[in-house]
Amino acid sequence: MQQKKAEEKEKKPKFFINDHADILTEILKRLDGPSLGVAACVCRLWCAIARNDSLWEHLCFRHVASPPPSSVRPVVLALGGYKRLYMVCVRPVLTRLGHSDLVRRRVWTRDEVQLSLSLFCVDYYERRLGGASASSLMFLCKPVNV
Amino acid sequence: MSPYDSATSSGGGSGSSASSSAKPSEIDGLLAGAGYKVRSSDLRHVAQRLERLETAMVNSPAEISNLASDSVHYNPSDIASWVDSLLSELHQTASMPSDLPDLPDLMVAPAINHTVLSDAAWTDQDAPQQLNQFTVVTAMEEDSGIRLVHMLMTCAESVQRGELAFAGSLIEDMQALLTRVNTSCGIGKVADYFIDALRRRIFSPQSVCFGGSGSASLYENEVLYHHFYEACPYLKFAHFTANQAILEAFDGHDCVHVIDFNLMHGLQWPALIQALALRPGGPPLLRLTGIGPPSPDGRDSLREVGLRLAELARSVNVRFAFRGVAASRLEDVKPWMLQVGPKEAVAVNSIMQLHRLLGSDSTRNSPVEVVLGWIRNLNPKIMTVIEQEANHNQPGFMDRFTEALYYYSTMFDSLEGCALQPEKALAEIYIQREICNVVCCEGLARVERHEPLGKWRARLGQAGFRPSHLGSNAFKQASMLLTLFSAEGYCVEEKEGCLTLGWHSRPLIAASAWQAVPDANPPLGIVNHHSNHNAL
């Protein structure tokens, strides 16, 4: 009886999540921004996967009512990528425009997406103008003065 | 007489208060019901004293214990004398010196200072007298602040009358008074700038006007403008609102041409380029003509900006062409320099530029009429006009000064919430230059000739334009932009199709959009491409 159990245990393949990058990607896709950042610190594989811009794309538009048109991706990639879009624009805009506890359940409107993209573009342009002057979006990082 | 007794004895409350309002020397009925004896004629006095007492108690809690233990008060039902005695006790124990160590405590929020300014009917000619009636003096420093404003008005009045010697002596008095006021915020800061401007006007009028064409001052202007863009939302609001109107006007056109009357660093255009890149149907061919002052040191700053914008456009796959037109004044620009093609949809964008064309006397063929004329001949799909919402072009100096004092104190108020340094400091210098131009300069040197929206409507209507209403998208975008911006107090309002951004219900900047009224007989020699949907 015990031998059988031991044999069964040996026959059953052990499951290492790191062997299945696609499953891992699917899981990481469902994390929020801060968790994704933490996940990137786990190990090299997780870091590489978390750096994948498509994960951040998913994060940026997760709450949009309708998926963005296909023309958005090349523009965002040209302006710095989805991870930067999230860090610089999406996260502060979401925090400001909605209460933080509702952020996860909140649905973006098309206008908010547009505004984020525009601000992102201004940020890109200012960085090209000269590094010192790239602070037009700094107001997004400052705490709201209630 | 116990409080309960008085309540029952003045049972017909409405009756007694009606009688007390008829005879001012009577005891106020409502307060009598609560057990206090106050004469109706003393009500305002008592209210003022109570406010003063409250502020004094809040700001110097240490002295309260003295009040509680040492002072003796008689007959608290007589509030007027009770409050007076408390105040005199507090002032004795506090013994305030002129340079107060705990200045920040006494400096209550700037909103209070400016509420005082706004309540004191600025529109009235007798502003100084009314100031004395309506001000509520709650701390010694605010006393000085109000006195400063009073002296500023008197000084401006004497400047208008030509009594420069007297005005000069007033300047010295005001500068002495300034040392006792906190000039890092609130009324002190605004007064500091205006005293400086008046001083320049009286003592050194030639050196003042910052229309200098040296390379240093041009570069300075750009830097200051950039920091003003970042420190407060006015320019962002202008850019985003104008872009929205332009985007909607360009709908369906494949060949579009934007003419920017003041390119600076071109901060407005990345957002438009990106929006055009993402518009359904794909981006059009975008031509941008940027007008700006010529750079004296051989640097072609316009072309540099154009290159940056072209690079951005290339990254997002928008066909783009740039042209720079260097002109030191807008009236020097001639339409042929813009090279508008016949099949293009044209948008003209003027952010705080049209007011520079208003000469002080409206002669025939004034520069503004000439410029509006050729704009109209271009038949633009849209002309976006963003202007300061203020009346700084009145002929009388006193009126201008008063209006400017109110307008810029509101603007400085709104800047208080900005935490970014050095953006805030440089933005203040930018505003200071405007103030100097309004206050010190005359004739051709005075370019900051702001006029309110109503006047622009009339002027543009006469020049053959009709308003194009800014849609709800623009309003939504402006509201969202403000929500993102940190300080609460900004408000966006919609007024007959135009949007204004202001601080606490005082509009400071107005954005509007215009279309040329279609001509029955187009002028000869100019190719006008009228498409069917244009003639609405």
Side-chain angles (χ1 to χ4, degrees), chain B residues 484-496:
Chain B
L484 295 176
F485 219 83
S486 60
E488 308 237 327
Y490 289 108
C491 58
V492 180
E493 278 165 13
E494 192 260 354
K495 217 167 38 162
E496 293 169 39

Side-chain angles (χ1 to χ4, degrees), chain B residues 349-377:
Chain B
N349 183 69
S350 159
I351 305 218
M352 309 196 302
Q353 296 305 302
L354 285 185
H355 64 251
R356 297 171 163 258
L357 298 169
L358 301 172
S360 50
D361 42 18
S362 49
T363 54
R364 208 178 318 163
N365 290 334
S366 60
V368 68
E369 286 174 18
V370 170
V371 171
L372 287 177
W374 62 249
I375 294 177
R376 186 161 176 274
N377 286 341

Side-chain angles (χ1 to χ4, degrees), chain A residues 30-42:
Chain A
R30 282 152 175 76
L31 291 180
D32 61 7
S35 308
L36 202 48
V38 167
C41 303
V42 168

Side-chain angles (χ1 to χ4, degrees), chain A residues 71-72 75 78-79 93 96-97 111-112 115 117-119 121-122 124-126 128 133 135-136 138-140 142 144-145, chain B residues 226 229-230 236 240 265-267 270-271 274 278 305 308-309 311-312 315-316 420 423 476 480-481 483-486 488:
Chain A
S71 49
V72 171
V75 171
L79 298 178
V93 168
R96 289 284 181 80
L97 289 183
D111 301 308
E112 289 162 349
L115 185 60
L117 290 173
S118 297
L119 291 172
C121 197
V122 176
Y124 170 85
Y125 181 70
E126 284 203 314
R128 309 298 293 187
S133 60
S135 53
S136 115
M138 287 301 282
F139 69 90
L140 284 177
K142 299 294 174 189
V144 176
N145 186 16
Chain B
H226 195 143
Y229 175 86
E230 286 170 14
K236 289 190 182 74
F240 275 78
H265 286 156
L267 283 170
Q274 174 262 315
L278 290 178
V305 172
R308 296 267 174 274
L309 288 170
E311 189 199 334
L312 171 72
S315 338
V316 298
L420 306 169
E423 280 80 4
K476 264 195 283 184
M480 272 197 290
L481 200 60
T483 317
L484 295 176
F485 219 83
S486 60
E488 308 237 327

Side-chain angles (χ1 to χ4, degrees), chain B residues 160-218:
Chain B
Q160 174 165 292
R161 283 201 296 260
E163 299 164 7
L164 293 185
F166 179 54
S169 68
L170 274 177
I171 297 278
E172 286 170 17
D173 293 342
M174 286 195 283
Q175 281 177 326
L177 190 52
L178 258 188
T179 58
R180 285 156 54 190
V181 173
N182 183 5
T183 53
S184 65
C185 62
I187 190 87
K189 178 189 275 185
V190 180
D192 196 2
Y193 285 124
F194 274 88
I195 292 169
D196 182 68
L198 276 174
R199 187 176 48 79
R200 287 178 202 248
R201 186 186 175 107
I202 295 169
F203 295 121
S204 53
Q206 308 87 329
S207 68
V208 137
C209 300
F210 295 104
S213 52
S215 62
S217 77
L218 269 183

Side-chain angles (χ1 to χ4, degrees), chain B residues 28 52 59 92 124 150 182 195 241 292 335 362 441 450 459:
Chain B
D28 179 81
R52 207 185 202 173
N59 289 330
Q92 277 171 18
D124 202 293
H150 184 109
N182 183 5
I195 292 169
T241 308
S362 49
C441 303
H450 312 147
R459 202 183 283 280

